[in-house]
Amino acid sequence: MDRLSELELLVKIAESGHIGRAAEALDLSRPAASRMLAALEKRLGTRLVERNTRRVFITDAGQTFVERARHILHEL
């Protein structure tokens, strides 16, 4: 997947609070979405979300990045 898709995924995760719902909205499998998120976090060198079995929580760094991602996606 490209980096634009990663931004879209992160924004959908922030909006829905679930990786699975975000994956479904973007027509991805949940494992593919998890891999994309992990790759983005690795490339940025920071955790963007904290996960538990029911929900994800956007970190402070993640929230900052989500806002930037929304702006970028809006501009495109």
Side-chain angles (χ1 to χ4, degrees):
M1 287 283 163
D2 60 47
R3 292 181 180 184
L4 183 60
S5 297
E6 291 173 344
L7 296 181
E8 290 174 324
L9 175 65
L10 181 61
V11 169
K12 290 288 185 190
I13 291 170
E15 290 172 354
S16 69
H18 295 271
I19 294 174
R21 288 184 191 156
E24 184 178 312
L26 297 172
D27 198 29
L28 297 168
S29 68
R30 190 179 192 293
S34 291
R35 284 191 302 271
M36 284 176 63
L37 178 59
L40 177 61
E41 289 177 326
K42 184 177 180 181
R43 192 169 48 259
L44 295 175
T46 190
R47 296 282 291 185
L48 300 173
V49 300
E50 291 296 329
R51 304 155 178 85
N52 70 24
T53 57
R54 295 186 164 243
R55 197 160 167 82
V56 295
F57 302 91
I58 306 298
T59 64
D60 289 340
Q63 188 59 45
T64 299
F65 197 76
V66 165
E67 293 305 317
R68 292 178 68 195
R70 281 186 178 128
H71 179 74
I72 290 167
L73 293 170
H74 176 75
E75 290 296 317
L76 291 174

